[in-house]
Amino acid sequence: MAFKIVRNDITKMQVDAIVNTANKAPIYSLGTDTAVYLAAGEELLLEERRKIGFMEEGEVAITPGFQLPAKYIIHAVSPYYIDGSFGEEAKLRGCYQKSLELAYANGCESIAFPLIATGSFGYPKEEGMRIAVDEISAFLLKHEMLVYLVVFDNESTGLGRKLYPDLQAYIDHNYVRDKRGEEYGGGIFSAICGAPSMSRMCESMPFAPRAMEPKALGLPDDAEGNSLEEAFWEESQAALQERMKHMSDTFQQYLLYLIEERKMTNAEVYKRAIITKQLFSKIKGNTNYHPDKGTAMRLCVGAKLSLDETKDLLARAGYALAPCDKRDIIFSYFIEKEVYDMIEIDIALEEHGLPCFIE
């Protein structure tokens, strides 16, 4: 059916089953676990959990939902993350696989997951998200079910909540400004400037022609009497020359150049972008690889690009960030704020009724 990422309190989800990050022993601990027990009815749920007994990491079991809106609670024992070499990934994948299979076997048509093991259990968030997406997507290829990933519950202080008032103002300003431009004839100019070839030309020139004159910058001398204007000029010229060396780079070539320039590893980039290692290897191995726009945008997040660099890289794949597209505007906002978090971006898109990147 569908896979949606939402920001909500999992105990209030109107679904057939919710998944709880359970302990091995029939007890509950702080966080989501406590919230689930208290909302369901502490003594009722503990009594059922005691009947199940001790469980190993990666195992799941089902109980009634009692006082929850959900009919069932699936208890998945999360693996504690040490360093990734103790079978944590296989156990975490098992939590998702077995929970989905158990829900399906019990006739569930909808289920809500937390982002398992990424809180007090210590699993890296981006890696945990990638595993969740992998397993849920694989299940939905063969089965019909509505699956929610509830990334933040009521106790969270997610970054998105702090940014939201500012985000709405940013959307309103940029979206309205574009419409006003169309009304007064700016649409043609916007279309021309939005073209990839023009974007690359404009972005390769960091200053307007007059501003490129050293003495026009108005910078003072430093304490030793050296001209800061000349130093700034030399630095900007060096940066411009370096960029010009890569003017003819393909999307793949320029991406790899930017990654190397930042001294990042490939794994850092594809994990932050929440794309698979296999897809990144395919891109890396093909100079003329042409990604879809969503993948290209995710890689901009993965490489922590500035907005100018993002526009430049996208242009090399033939794409542009459209000021009349709210999805592109929200993406631009997060890039401008240097919030390189695909989960937060997708939650913002979901809450504005827009297609998510992670599906």
Side-chain angles (χ1 to χ4, degrees), residues 25-70:
I27 57 174
Y28 63 88
S29 55
L30 296 175
T32 302
D33 201 14
T34 296
V36 169
Y37 274 82
L38 294 181
E42 182 180 6
E43 290 304 321
L44 290 170
L45 187 51
L46 274 173
E47 184 179 350
E48 284 296 314
R49 180 66 182 85
R50 292 188 189 109
K51 292 177 184 177
I52 297 168
F54 189 87
M55 298 166 64
E56 294 292 345
E57 289 183 350
E59 289 188 350
V60 303
I62 193 167
T63 66
F66 296 110
Q67 297 169 20
L68 292 175

Side-chain angles (χ1 to χ4, degrees), residues 161-186:
R161 296 187 179 205
K162 300 175 185 176
L163 293 174
Y164 257 41
D166 192 21
L167 171 58
Q168 191 57 55
Y170 183 91
I171 295 169
D172 292 344
H173 172 70
N174 285 276
Y175 195 66
V176 170
R177 182 182 61 186
D178 179 67
K179 293 301 179 185
R180 186 172 62 244
E182 290 178 8
E183 182 180 349
Y184 289 97

Side-chain angles (χ1 to χ4, degrees), residues 297-316:
M297 292 166 79
R298 288 162 73 169
L299 286 165
C300 292
V301 172
K304 292 187 172 182
L305 303 188
S306 68
L307 188 57
D308 282 346
E309 290 166 335
T310 294
K311 291 176 180 177
D312 195 357
L313 183 61
L314 291 176
R316 291 164 194 268

Side-chain angles (χ1 to χ4, degrees), residues 214-221 227-229 232:
K215 294 301 178 183
L217 295 172
L219 296 175
D221 293 347
S227 171
L228 291 182
E229 288 178 338
F232 185 80

Side-chain angles (χ1 to χ4, degrees), residues 43-345:
E43 290 304 321
L44 290 170
L45 187 51
L46 274 173
E47 184 179 350
E48 284 296 314
R49 180 66 182 85
R50 292 188 189 109
K51 292 177 184 177
I52 297 168
F54 189 87
M55 298 166 64
E56 294 292 345
E57 289 183 350
E59 289 188 350
V60 303
I62 193 167
T63 66
F66 296 110
Q67 297 169 20
L68 292 175
K71 183 178 180 181
Y72 299 111
I73 301 169
I74 294 176
H75 304 265
V77 181
S78 303
Y80 279 95
Y81 186 83
I82 301 173
D83 61 7
S85 62
F86 290 83
E88 296 98 326
E89 180 175 345
K91 293 173 184 176
L92 182 55
R93 288 185 182 277
C95 286
Y96 285 103
Q97 292 168 359
K98 294 172 186 176
S99 295
L100 288 163
E101 290 165 2
L102 188 55
Y104 188 78
N106 281 272
C108 295
E109 295 183 355
S110 58
I111 185 171
F113 284 90
L115 195 52
I116 299 174
T118 59
S120 58
F121 288 81
Y123 215 100
K125 188 173 72 169
E126 288 85 358
E127 185 68 10
M129 182 67 172
R130 185 181 64 80
I131 290 169
V133 172
D134 282 354
E135 296 305 327
I136 293 169
S137 299
F139 176 83
L140 290 177
L141 286 174
K142 300 177 181 177
H143 304 89
E144 289 285 317
M145 192 178 291
L146 176 57
V147 182
Y148 292 96
L149 193 60
V150 185
V151 182
F152 297 104
D153 61 27
N154 275 351
E155 297 183 356
S156 297
T157 54
L159 182 60
R161 296 187 179 205
K162 300 175 185 176
L163 293 174
Y164 257 41
D166 192 21
L167 171 58
Q168 191 57 55
Y170 183 91
I171 295 169
D172 292 344
H173 172 70
N174 285 276
Y175 195 66
V176 170
R177 182 182 61 186
D178 179 67
K179 293 301 179 185
R180 186 172 62 244
E182 290 178 8
E183 182 180 349
Y184 289 97
I188 296 175
F189 180 76
S190 297
I192 294 172
C193 288
S197 58
M198 183 62 73
S199 297
R200 286 197 294 269
M201 184 186 300
C202 294
E203 289 160 9
S204 67
M205 298 180 66
F207 311 103
R210 186 175 180 278
M212 294 179 73
E213 300 173 13
K215 294 301 178 183
L217 295 172
L219 296 175
D221 293 347
D222 63 14
E224 285 75 33
N226 299 316
S227 171
L228 291 182
E229 288 178 338
E230 291 181 4
F232 185 80
W233 169 249
E234 290 173 1
E235 182 179 340
S236 63
Q237 283 295 294
L240 178 57
Q241 288 173 9
E242 181 63 26
R243 174 169 282 196
M244 290 181 70
K245 290 179 185 176
H246 297 274
M247 282 183 65
S248 61
D249 280 4
T250 64
F251 174 89
Q252 180 255 31
Q253 290 170 330
Y254 197 56
L255 172 65
L256 296 181
Y257 157 70
L258 290 170
I259 293 171
E260 182 180 2
E261 184 186 48
R262 283 161 171 69
K263 296 181 172 58
M264 292 180 178
T265 65
N266 293 336
E268 284 179 79
V269 174
Y270 67 71
K271 286 180 180 180
R272 190 178 298 111
I274 311 184
I275 66 172
T276 65
K277 181 179 180 181
Q278 291 77 8
L279 176 55
F280 189 87
S281 296
K282 188 184 294 186
I283 295 170
K284 185 180 177 183
N286 183 353
T287 301
N288 296 309
Y289 186 88
H290 188 269
D292 60 60
K293 186 176 179 181
T295 299
M297 292 166 79
R298 288 162 73 169
L299 286 165
C300 292
V301 172
K304 292 187 172 182
L305 303 188
S306 68
L307 188 57
D308 282 346
E309 290 166 335
T310 294
K311 291 176 180 177
D312 195 357
L313 183 61
L314 291 176
R316 291 164 194 268
Y319 304 119
L321 294 174
C324 54
D325 185 326
K326 286 189 178 180
R327 188 170 186 253
D328 284 3
I329 290 170
I330 289 173
F331 177 81
S332 299
Y333 171 85
F334 280 90
I335 293 291
E336 278 195 15
K337 293 289 185 180
E338 298 182 357
V339 179
Y340 301 108
D341 188 325
M342 287 307 309
I343 299 171
E344 283 290 350
I345 294 171

